[in-house]
């Protein structure tokens, strides 16, 4: 697939050239990194052939197979694919009078079979689609309109960035000792803070509890490890600090929406 338009940085110059158009682009990344930028249009991003990390000013998002991310207009973001061969399927939409609160926040959602079919249908479109181009424009607009109806489950595949210096050190410590199942009391003692202060720090700075943050960190790490074909589910469970495979599997299912064994079984089909 030709990646010339990525080299020309289409997303910096062409997406917002016409205020009322819907812009469509399917292409191999061709890059290891897309620098921070923003659009005047909302962005739908679905990837194939690998995984993508997307960073905003507030959070770091992990976009696995069979999921899409919605990026509202004006959101500064950078894109970090697992390889230049990742295929990005992008649709950029202008604001519509019918837009609801759904379209105003960055979120990751699973993709069902209906949306897969719709995404593949859009593969025939390239560049701007103007309102006068009917029925193409109405079909493209319908793509945006159906998203809230079929995207009922938000996946917490994101972690906020800590700004507090001590919390930065704590998060780094958790990442480095991900295989040790570090407890809350251990962290408080290691960093010489009271448990009450530590709990308040996580809630105030990251808007989530220690256990919520640590669980998501472990599951995101597990997702990365499961994409390495050399590692079994049991090995991954141990690498993220779970001595019980059923507990790991149940937690993974609760956060990601499928069991790790299913994810491994399906990943070659999904990527």
């Amino acid at each position: 697939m030709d990646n010339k338009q990525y080299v020309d940085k289409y997303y910096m110059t062409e997406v917002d050239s016409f205020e009322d158009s819907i812009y469509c682009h399917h292409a191999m990344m061709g890059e290891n990194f897309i620098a921070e930028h923003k659009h005047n249009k909302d962005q739908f991003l679905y990837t194939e052939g690998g995984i993508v990390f997307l960073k905003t000013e507030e959070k770091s998002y992990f976009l696995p197979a069979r999921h899409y991310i919605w990026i509202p207009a004006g959101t500064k973001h950078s894109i970090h694919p697992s390889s230049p061969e990742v295929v990005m399927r992008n649709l950029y939409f202008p604001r519509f009078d019918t837009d609801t609160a759904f379209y105003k926040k960055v979120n990751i959602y699973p993709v069902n079979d209906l949306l897969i079919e719709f995404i593949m249908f859009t593969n025939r479109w390239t560049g701007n689609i103007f309102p006068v181009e009917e029925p193409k424009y109405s079909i493209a607009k319908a793509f945006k309109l159906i998203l809230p109806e079929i995207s009922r489950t938000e996946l917490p595949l994101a972690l906020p960035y800590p700004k507090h210096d001590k919390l930065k050190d704590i998060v780094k410590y958790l990442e480095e000792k991900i295989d040790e199942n570090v407890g809350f009391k251990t962290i408080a003692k290691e960093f010489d803070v009271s448990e009450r202060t530590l709990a308040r720090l996580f809630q105030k700075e990251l808007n989530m509890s220690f256990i919520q943050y640590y669980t998501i960190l472990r599951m995101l790490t597990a997702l990365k490890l499961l994409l390495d074909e050399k590692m079994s589910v049991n090995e991954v469970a141990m690498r993220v600090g779970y001595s019980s495979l059923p507990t790991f599997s149940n937690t993974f299912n609760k956060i990601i929406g499928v069991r790790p064994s299913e994810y491994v079984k399906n990943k070659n089909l999904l990527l």
Side-chain angles (χ1 to χ4, degrees):
M1 193 175 290
D2 182 15
N3 65 10
K4 181 179 183 301
Q5 291 196 55
Y6 270 99
V7 176
D8 292 342
K9 307 240 182 321
Y10 83 93
Y11 47 85
M12 299 292 287
T13 58
E14 298 178 31
V15 169
D16 295 322
S17 295
F18 300 94
E19 186 178 343
D20 61 350
S21 72
I22 296 171
Y23 193 91
C24 185
H25 190 81
H26 301 256
M28 191 180 292
M29 284 284 296
E31 298 181 80
N32 287 311
F33 168 66
I34 292 181
E36 186 178 78
H37 62 286
K38 63 180 180 178
H39 311 289
N40 296 328
K41 293 177 179 174
D42 296 332
Q43 181 179 358
F44 170 97
L45 169 60
Y46 178 79
T47 64
E48 297 169 1
I51 58 174
V52 162
F53 292 92
L54 185 139
K55 296 181 179 179
T56 68
E57 293 178 308
E58 300 295 326
K59 292 183 179 182
S60 177
Y61 294 85
F62 177 82
L63 184 61
R66 195 87 182 196
H67 293 78
Y68 78 87
I69 189 166
W70 181 261
I71 309 165
T75 303
K76 289 183 180 179
H77 60 282
S78 59
I79 299 173
H80 311 254
S82 57
S83 83
E85 284 72 47
V86 169
V87 174
M88 286 177 59
R89 301 191 181 279
N90 293 287
L91 283 93
Y92 302 86
F93 298 93
R95 299 276 177 87
F96 298 131
D97 293 338
T98 53
D99 283 358
T100 62
F102 172 91
Y103 301 106
K104 295 178 181 177
K105 54 187 178 180
V106 181
N107 259 321
I108 291 174
Y109 303 93
V111 170
N112 64 13
D113 291 341
L114 171 62
L115 195 54
I116 285 285
E117 291 293 328
F118 217 150
I119 291 168
M120 292 303 106
F121 183 84
T122 69
N123 196 42
R124 67 193 68 188
W125 301 332
T126 302
N128 290 294
I129 304 171
F130 297 101
V132 294
E133 297 181 76
E134 292 290 9
K136 192 187 336 184
Y137 188 85
S138 289
I139 295 170
K141 183 177 179 179
F143 186 105
K144 178 179 180 179
L145 296 180
I146 67 167
L147 292 177
E149 296 302 314
I150 61 177
S151 306
R152 302 285 184 164
T153 308
E154 301 173 12
L155 289 186
L157 300 179
L159 285 172
Y161 293 126
K163 294 182 173 64
H164 191 283
D165 286 340
K166 179 156 280 192
L167 202 52
K168 287 179 183 177
D169 291 339
I170 291 171
V171 166
K172 184 180 178 183
Y173 181 86
L174 290 172
E175 289 171 347
E176 290 173 349
K177 297 187 178 293
I178 197 78
D179 60 333
E180 294 184 17
N181 189 15
V182 179
F184 186 72
K185 291 180 184 293
T186 302
I187 290 291
K189 186 176 180 181
E190 179 73 25
F191 288 89
D192 194 26
V193 293
S194 70
E195 292 179 31
R196 184 176 179 182
T197 299
L198 184 59
R200 191 183 299 135
L201 197 56
F202 267 88
Q203 202 62 56
K204 181 183 177 183
E205 290 285 322
L206 303 177
N207 200 32
M208 61 177 69
S209 69
F210 167 81
I211 193 66
Q212 285 174 314
Y213 185 93
Y214 193 34
T215 301
I216 294 172
L217 176 63
R218 294 163 87 184
M219 292 307 106
L220 293 188
T221 304
L223 271 172
K224 296 175 205 173
L225 295 173
L226 284 171
L227 288 167
D228 181 351
E229 295 178 16
K230 301 181 186 71
M231 296 194 74
S232 69
V233 173
N234 197 44
E235 288 171 324
V236 169
M238 293 189 344
R239 281 283 295 274
V240 295
Y242 283 85
S243 56
S244 165
L245 187 56
T247 301
F248 168 70
S249 182
N250 289 339
T251 306
F252 189 95
N253 186 40
K254 184 178 178 182
I255 301 294
I256 309 301
V258 295
R259 296 202 171 275
S261 55
E262 295 171 35
Y263 189 83
V264 170
K265 186 171 66 176
N266 293 331
K267 71 176 181 180
N268 291 329
L269 299 173
L270 300 177
L271 288 177

